Amino acid sequence: KNEVEQSPQNLTAQEGEFITINCSYSVGISALHWLQQHPGGGIVSLFMLSSGKKKHGRLIATINIQEKHSSLHITASHPRDSAVYICAVGLQYNTDKLIFGTGTRLQVFP
Amino acid sequence: DTAVSQTPKYLVTQMGNDKSIKCEQNLGHDTMYWYKQDSKKFLKIMFSYNNKELIINETVPNRFSPKSPDKAHLNLHINSLELGDSAVYFCASSQVWPLLLDTQYFGPGTRLTVL
């Protein structure tokens, strides 16, 4: 079993819908990252967080350290949000190594 | 201006050949990384360099040898290529080490196909 699990694996939505992608992990972490991989393959770092909540535009990321769980929310989704969203955790005692989830493929239809 | 660049973008080669992938970042970052993304889109770290010094070397075959001539460059040389080496290789950089303090900037990826 992977140390970082994401759900759902695939997600389709209509434009305007509120999206939630979940990430659960089983190891002690120092930080959690959310990444976006575009259909063309490019990867962009969206958030890095170790507690609480961060917001950037229509994207919101939350983390609950006690429950070992993070969520990525997209408000008012748009077709350009279609991408693979990847959760990655930095190990607590190996602060430069990221372990990645398998990704959530999101498709937003107009 | 491209922040993290990789060359080539595509690489098709025969088994047994030796090939290199180059990575350069113009962000002034101290730390650079190589990741491998397999056919199932699963990302895994291979190497991490901080100020030209190797920090992380995951369980990667010794056919893979990273080289950092300076802080702005981290090249990946692969000897005796095998079919299983086919993947997309991403270079990335971050301003500081350790990574927990910073976000990463990724290159566009190099798709390696071994025939």
Side-chain angles (χ1 to χ4, degrees), chain B residues 29-40:
Chain B
H29 288 173
D30 286 343
T31 311
M32 296 183 73
Y33 310 81
W34 276 110
Y35 292 95
K36 180 180 180 181
Q37 187 173 44
D38 61 24
S39 56
K40 295 182 179 177

Side-chain angles (χ1 to χ4, degrees), chain A residues 2 30-31 33 35 37 40-45 47-48 86 91-92 94-102 105, chain B residues 31 33 35 37 40-45 48 55-56 58 90 97-104 106-108:
Chain A
N2 200 27
S30 52
H33 299 249
L35 308 169
Q37 186 165 25
I43 299 175
V44 174
S45 182
F47 294 104
M48 184 194 66
I86 302 169
L91 296 183
Q92 193 169 20
N94 188 340
T95 53
D96 211 47
K97 177 180 173 180
L98 288 184
I99 297 179
F100 293 83
T102 50
R105 183 176 298 276
Chain B
T31 311
Y33 310 81
Y35 292 95
Q37 187 173 44
K40 295 182 179 177
K41 302 291 187 183
F42 188 65
L43 272 164
K44 192 167 182 182
I45 191 165
S48 165
I55 301 295
I56 289 178
E58 282 298 292
F90 286 95
W97 182 86
L99 181 58
L100 70 90
L101 299 177
D102 199 12
T103 56
Q104 290 184 93
F106 285 82

Side-chain angles (χ1 to χ4, degrees), chain A residues 3-79:
Chain A
E3 293 153 306
V4 181
E5 296 282 346
Q6 288 184 236
S7 63
Q9 283 190 332
N10 294 285
L11 185 54
T12 58
Q14 288 295 125
E15 184 172 357
E17 285 185 6
F18 181 81
I19 305 288
T20 295
I21 298 171
N22 297 299
C23 175
S24 297
Y25 51 92
S26 57
V27 293
I29 71 166
S30 52
L32 183 142
H33 299 249
W34 280 103
L35 308 169
Q36 179 192 53
Q37 186 165 25
H38 298 290
I43 299 175
V44 174
S45 182
L46 297 175
F47 294 104
M48 184 194 66
L49 64 165
S50 54
S51 65
K53 176 179 170 179
K54 285 190 176 179
K55 185 176 189 290
H56 185 247
R58 295 180 294 105
L59 301 178
I60 303 166
T62 64
I63 188 168
N64 185 318
I65 296 292
Q66 286 73 30
E67 294 185 5
K68 295 189 173 179
H69 181 267
S70 175
S71 292
L72 177 68
H73 305 286
I74 305 174
T75 61
S77 59
H78 190 276

